[in-house]
Amino acid sequence: MATANGAEEQEEGGPLVFQRGKKLNEEYYIVSVRDNTEGACVKFSAYELETSETYDLSYSYNDFDALFKTHPELVNPSNKEGRYDWVVDRLDFTSEGSGGVKRLTLASEPTVEDETHESKAAISSPKTKSKDRLTYAERQRLRQEADKLEEKRAASIAMKSEKNRK
């Protein structure tokens, strides 16, 4: 029966759709994203590894869509992973009141740790693109390269077979 209660608690926030590690304020967190279709919301949870504390931030579907109106590559709701990644990059903590209670919030820019990570990734692989699809020009170029390779292979095979005949 204990597992049934645990499963109910886990499903209460919706199924897990995205998860990533993140360093915030010198602490390491596992950030989980749950998509609750019944409650029509997306819930971001940051689990602190050392203290086992969890901090939550929820958005209704409308509010979540509104975050990406100024980002053309993320406007399409089908780019869920890109959207989740964008939000996780900007997660930060604020302290409320004199007690210093931490609260998970969304910053306007990526947090400092993420900026250094993104710049390192950009420097190490400048040709990598975030798009999964090839443009028409890229497909044409790749097709021409494949045709040239096929012609070169056929010529090499013909040359070897001619050499073996003699």
Side-chain angles (χ1 to χ4, degrees):
M1 289 218 164
T3 57
N5 288 339
E8 286 175 16
E9 287 175 16
Q10 190 173 12
E11 287 301 316
E12 185 179 310
L16 181 68
V17 292
F18 185 81
Q19 192 169 43
R20 188 178 106 188
K22 180 167 177 71
K23 185 177 180 181
L24 285 168
N25 301 334
E26 302 300 318
E27 301 287 335
Y28 290 97
Y29 294 85
I30 295 175
V31 180
S32 303
V33 182
R34 297 189 176 279
D35 188 0
N36 186 347
T37 53
E38 288 180 15
C41 69
V42 179
K43 181 179 178 182
F44 294 84
S45 301
Y47 175 79
E48 187 173 355
L49 295 175
E50 287 187 23
T51 63
S52 300
E53 292 184 54
T54 303
Y55 303 93
D56 296 325
L57 177 64
S58 295
Y59 287 101
S60 70
Y61 284 164
N62 290 335
D63 291 340
F64 189 64
D65 286 341
L67 292 173
F68 308 104
K69 290 194 188 256
T70 59
H71 303 283
E73 67 278 358
L74 298 172
V75 167
N76 187 352
S78 66
N79 187 4
K80 290 181 180 182
E81 192 164 318
R83 287 174 155 210
Y84 300 146
D85 207 33
W86 185 90
V87 171
V88 171
D89 284 346
R90 286 157 178 76
L91 287 178
D92 203 0
F93 287 107
T94 56
S95 296
E96 286 186 357
S98 59
V101 177
K102 287 194 327 189
R103 183 175 174 182
L104 193 62
T105 59
L106 185 68
S108 58
E109 294 294 322
T111 54
V112 176
E113 293 85 4
D114 287 332
E115 286 177 357
T116 58
H117 173 68
E118 286 176 7
S119 63
K120 286 180 186 174
I123 291 169
S124 64
S125 58
K127 290 188 177 182
T128 359
K129 292 184 180 179
S130 61
K131 295 190 289 183
D132 289 334
R133 295 185 174 190
L134 296 173
T135 64
Y136 177 72
E138 290 170 329
R139 284 195 309 269
Q140 244 183 345
R141 180 184 53 80
L142 289 172
R143 194 173 295 128
Q144 287 174 348
E145 287 176 8
D147 289 344
K148 285 180 185 178
L149 273 173
E150 185 63 34
E151 288 172 10
K152 189 176 179 180
R153 180 179 172 269
S156 177
I157 290 172
M159 204 162 100
K160 284 182 181 178
S161 66
E162 184 67 34
K163 188 177 179 182
N164 287 338
R165 286 185 194 163
K166 293 181 179 179

